[in-house]
């Protein structure tokens, strides 16, 4: 079965690296856009949870798995930091989910995944 990444790459004629970069920048919170270039230079590991989330969601074959990865993303200890939690200097899981819906079958609903938010 095809993954979100493979379907996206086929539709947009891009590589896996381009997929990760495009999804990251497309799904970044609007408030994070001005700070992201500086953070990527000063502290590249700041966005590590976001990039890992994009990679893991890219490997999903249905939306049920995307919901599981979203729950995992929000339980990452780095989300307790003020800059991520309150100022939204991170990617938007909602934008990632909305993008994945365009390329993947539904699977289980979010109600079936405990502790999402």
């Amino acid at each position: 079965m095809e993954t979100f990444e493979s379907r996206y790459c086929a539709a947009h004629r891009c590589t896996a690296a381009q997929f990760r970069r495009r999804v990251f920048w497309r799904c970044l919170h609007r408030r994070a856009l001005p700070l992201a270039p500086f953070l990527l230079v000063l502290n590249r590991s700041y966005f590590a949870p976001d990039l890992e989330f994009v990679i893991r969601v890219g490997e999903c074959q249905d939306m049920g798995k995307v919901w599981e990865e979203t729950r995992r993303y929000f339980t990452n200890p780095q989300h307790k930091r003020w800059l991520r939690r309150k100022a939204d200097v991170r990617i938007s899981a909602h934008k990632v989910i909305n993008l994945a819906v365009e390329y993947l079958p539904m699977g289980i609903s979010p109600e079936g995944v405990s502790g999402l938010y």
Side-chain angles (χ1 to χ4, degrees):
M1 191 172 199
E2 290 185 284
T3 64
F4 171 33
E5 180 181 294
S6 66
R7 289 177 180 208
Y8 181 96
C9 288
H12 296 276
R13 298 179 185 198
C14 65
T15 65
Q18 290 170 324
F19 163 81
R20 293 176 189 129
R21 194 170 30 260
R22 289 177 184 185
V23 171
F24 174 81
W25 286 104
R26 181 175 176 175
C27 296
L28 202 61
H29 271 285
R30 191 177 325 164
R31 285 182 255 176
L33 283 169
L35 295 173
F38 298 107
L39 285 171
L40 285 167
V41 170
L42 298 173
N43 182 8
R44 188 149 182 90
S45 66
Y46 179 84
F47 288 110
D50 306 286
L51 296 171
E52 182 180 333
F53 178 53
V54 170
I55 291 167
R56 288 180 172 270
V57 169
E59 296 168 350
C60 293
Q61 297 176 342
D62 63 56
M63 286 306 296
K65 297 292 184 191
V66 172
W67 285 108
E68 288 176 28
E69 292 303 332
T70 303
R71 180 193 51 76
R72 185 179 302 182
Y73 173 67
F74 280 114
T75 59
N76 185 313
Q78 289 189 2
H79 279 291
K80 293 182 178 164
R81 295 179 179 173
W82 182 87
L83 202 56
R84 295 183 74 77
R85 188 173 35 96
K86 295 292 185 185
D88 288 335
V89 180
R90 59 179 171 81
I91 61 172
S92 166
H94 289 278
K95 288 182 180 182
V96 173
I97 290 165
N98 289 339
L99 185 59
V101 162
E102 295 177 33
Y103 297 92
L104 293 175
M106 285 312 291
I108 62 171
S109 67
E111 295 84 34
V113 179
S114 62
L116 180 58
Y117 294 105

